[in-house]
Amino acid sequence: MPALKTTLLAAATLVALALAAPAGAHDAHACMDAACTMQQLYDPGDAGGDDAATAIRYGTWGIDTAGMDTSVSPGEDFFAYANGTWAKNTPIPADQSSYGAFRVLRDLSEARVRALVEAYPLADPATGGDPARIAAVYRGFLDEAAIEALDDAPLQPVLQRIGQAGSHLAMAQLMGASDTFGVTLFGMGVSDDQRDPDHYTLYMGQAGLGLGDREMYLRDNFAPQRERYVAYIAQLLAMGGWDNPQAAAEAVLAFETRIAEVHWTRAESRDRDRTYNPVPFERFDAYAPGFPWAEYFKAAGVDHGDVAVVRQGSAVPKMAKIFADTDIATLQAWQAFHAIDDAAPLLSGRFVDAHFDFRNKFLSGQPEQRERWKRAVALVEDSLGEAVGREYVKLYFPADAKAKMDALVANVKAAMGARLDALEWMGPATKAEAHAKLQGFGLKIGHPETWRDYSGLRIVNGDVVGNVLRSRQFEWDYRRARIGKDVDKAEWGMTPQTVNAYYNSVKNEIVFPAAILQPPFFDPQADPAVNYGSIGGVIGHEIIHGFDDQGRKSDGAGVLRDWWSAEDAAKFEVQAARLGAQYEAYEFPQLPGMHINARTAMGENIGDLGGLTIALEAYRRSLDGKPAPVIDGFSGEQRLFLGWAQVWRTLWRDDALRQQLVNGTHSPGHIRAFAPLRNIDAWYDAFGVKQGDPLYIAPEERVRIW
């Protein structure tokens, strides 16, 4: 495979969603939930820049034909063929590190949320309900003069608390607390039990790294990032009044490097055969000596439980020993830096600027800070997301959208059933289990039926930092109180205004929030072939997550168990490995030596290939044996493949692409636009791709899984 053109840039950025957990636990997992059972469609990044609040339609029948570059052969570079003119003429907004179809919809969702929240006047949050709470959070953050006047005053009690944590016991208690800023070595979350999906359990996994992935600490080519990270640590510690900030910063990096050395890789952390390790609380001292577990669990408020499911089983004991062997001064400096880093976006301009310069500008290449109102919207979303969503769907989710999506999902599910029947490599017993799982798929479209109750969340006008801390505590209290209780099957893992989708293996369900059900993903006025290629491919992608390299390990009831015959599993693994080799062969000339980690992205890559395959099958079935019309010279199947490719149009800054390759769980978007097509025979027929074309793969070498 030749090197990809530098003009072909990718989709989605590196920040992962997570359910609420104690301070610092947000960096523990790359997936959505603590059990790593909720797979989202793409890695979301910073919210977008445009303030337009009207959905954009693409062309007259769903494809932006003006954005194509038909001077490029489809078999040479299908991303450029489908998106080349758009890519050449579209600048990345200065307040973003990437830009594309997802960003356009996030801009739209963000602008709509802004219009909603700005309509709420300031009132007493104690008596004014959710509108008053929303207004207090939003307008408090917009009051830049008041925040500047406070400067670091809201931070000082946090630093004093850290300074007073003069023992390993006190430091462990601080790591468990959720009413402060900072970090923990052992991130916790509460989610559906993979072995008992009707009840919630506590999950625990590795955390504690300020640079994200372990590779950032261990690979030689990330030396510049580590050097700049030390400078950033020292800068923040100095701003917080910490003694000897440079020496402390170097000690913090050395400590995090030791932690990184024992962390599991992202690929290892995806493996469900290895990541379900229940450990009773009374056994933790023997299992991972050197850490005061009982006090940690008590500080986190989870001591009413009796077991934690450990994800990285061999890493946690090593991390506990590193904690015990590290001097308290280093642990305090580590915690102080992360507390300042965590709080910085809420503080005065000098903290905001320092945080932006390192986290966004240096690491991701983003030239300018996002406007303050955009950051205020994000803060409201974090604190009161469903309260906003309840009003969002009243205005922006048409009643007929759900019915049309129901029909599309039913057609794609039927196509998946037909594909299962036709599989030559899978035996009858495994097929029967697969059919049972498919029939049991749940579906959620648009928004929850029951909304979160925020009446217990105390919000105070003008108290930006306090509101955030109380919101975190409120969310964690909500989660931790569920340990051992019945699972709420109706709960959503995303708000309606989120531009994304996900599959939850423990509930065996696919979920599509309202905000993604708009062009270019879903347009009721578009040609059906385009909708099948775009939202149909997304539906297929989420369905296939139930049958990817990890989703296939859970059955139709959501229980983690092996329901495959050994022979079928071996055949699957061979095909998955061949697919992984294709993705790892792609090169990024602007980032020498960087490649897709195929094991980390395996589930997403299988989801793309299988999802588009069954979307194509569903489209063919929808024609009822009739020929598809030709529109503007494009056949039905050409339009379907173009619909898929234009969904993944995205531009990247080089630094952000580097971060995606290291920290993301998805392949970059321009790869997603064409890589699965290379294994689908119909794509070759539709566009006349032939032997000798750069994207050509011989029929016998094409990967065929689902």
Side-chain angles (χ1 to χ4, degrees), residues 545-562:
H545 267 317
F547 303 91
D548 67 20
D549 65 316
Q550 300 304 317
R552 71 182 184 84
K553 296 176 181 178
S554 298
D555 65 17
V559 177
L560 182 64
R561 71 174 179 89
D562 185 2

Side-chain angles (χ1 to χ4, degrees), residues 595-608:
H595 294 273
I596 295 167
N597 185 324
R599 289 184 61 205
T600 299
M602 182 62 74
E604 303 303 329
N605 297 338
I606 291 173
D608 284 351

Side-chain angles (χ1 to χ4, degrees), residues 104-129:
V104 169
L105 281 190
R106 289 200 56 188
D107 289 345
L108 174 63
S109 181
E110 187 176 58
R112 288 172 168 176
V113 171
R114 180 191 190 184
L116 280 171
V117 301
E118 289 192 345
Y120 297 142
L122 270 181
D124 183 357
T127 59

Side-chain angles (χ1 to χ4, degrees), residues 182-226:
V183 71
T184 177
L185 288 177
F186 310 105
M188 288 187 287
V190 177
S191 191
D192 312 22
D193 191 325
Q194 291 171 274
R195 299 284 190 191
D196 178 14
D198 291 330
H199 297 92
Y200 291 108
T201 194
L202 177 69
Y203 288 86
M204 190 181 74
Q206 63 193 25
L209 301 181
L211 277 175
D213 193 81
R214 68 191 298 272
E215 299 300 312
M216 300 288 289
Y217 295 83
L218 306 179
R219 287 174 55 174
D220 291 342
N221 57 320
F222 292 120
Q225 283 76 17
R226 292 192 293 272

Side-chain angles (χ1 to χ4, degrees), residues 49 73 86 190 215 293 342 357 360 401 521:
S73 164
W86 171 86
V190 177
E215 299 300 312
W293 292 105
D342 194 10
D357 284 345
N360 301 88
F521 294 91

Side-chain angles (χ1 to χ4, degrees), residues 368-399:
E368 295 179 7
Q369 176 68 278
R370 292 161 59 214
E371 291 181 69
R372 196 163 188 91
W373 73 262
K374 298 175 183 178
R375 290 176 278 150
V377 164
L379 192 62
V380 170
E381 295 271 29
D382 287 343
S383 304
L384 295 140
E386 282 202 19
V388 174
R390 185 173 57 239
E391 302 306 313
Y392 178 94
V393 298
K394 291 178 183 177
L395 295 172
Y396 301 117
F397 187 60

Side-chain angles (χ1 to χ4, degrees), residues 500-520:
N500 215 324
Y502 68 90
Y503 169 72
N504 185 335
S505 63
V506 187
K507 289 186 173 73
N508 193 31
E509 66 180 7
I510 52 179
V511 183
F512 302 92
I516 199 172
L517 303 180
Q518 301 175 91

